[in-house]
Amino acid sequence: MKKIVSFVLIVFCFFNYSAQTTHTVNAGSYYYSPTNLIVQVGDSVIWINDGGFHDVNGNINSITNQPYNNPVTFDSPATNTTGAVIFAYKFTVPGTYNY
């Protein structure tokens, strides 16, 4: 019985340690909040539209037309629906990402 309890505790601690996090970013007129995130491999980010016409672009800067050179590129169609999920992305490759 003691071995079973120890095994269950070890398994519980492993799954608790390796749990992924879902981060939420709100987008509105000329802002993303929070502006910076520290995300672990396996974490997800969901962007929510607070109002306006927004997309999530991790490919090419729409102002400078220069590539972000992210480890993995991503982008989404734009939406003007307030409260809508603009985009959701699970980060599986480590690195620094800009959007």
Side-chain angles (χ1 to χ4, degrees), residues 25-65:
V25 176
N26 292 79
S29 297
Y30 304 107
Y31 72 85
Y32 285 103
S33 179
T35 55
N36 296 300
L37 285 174
I38 296 175
V39 178
Q40 302 298 317
V41 170
D43 286 359
S44 297
V45 177
I46 297 173
W47 287 264
I48 305 292
N49 189 6
D50 285 352
F53 191 67
H54 301 287
D55 66 349
V56 176
N57 176 359
N59 188 12
I60 296 174
N61 186 314
S62 58
I63 296 171
T64 66
N65 209 29

Side-chain angles (χ1 to χ4, degrees), residues 39-42 70-72 91-97:
V39 178
Q40 302 298 317
V41 170
N70 287 329
V72 176
F91 289 84
T92 58
V93 177
T96 299
Y97 290 80

Side-chain angles (χ1 to χ4, degrees), residues 7 12 14-15 25 29 36 38 49 59 82 85-86 95:
F7 177 75
F12 176 77
F14 173 77
F15 283 111
V25 176
S29 297
N36 296 300
I38 296 175
N49 189 6
N59 188 12
T82 300
V85 172
I86 303 168

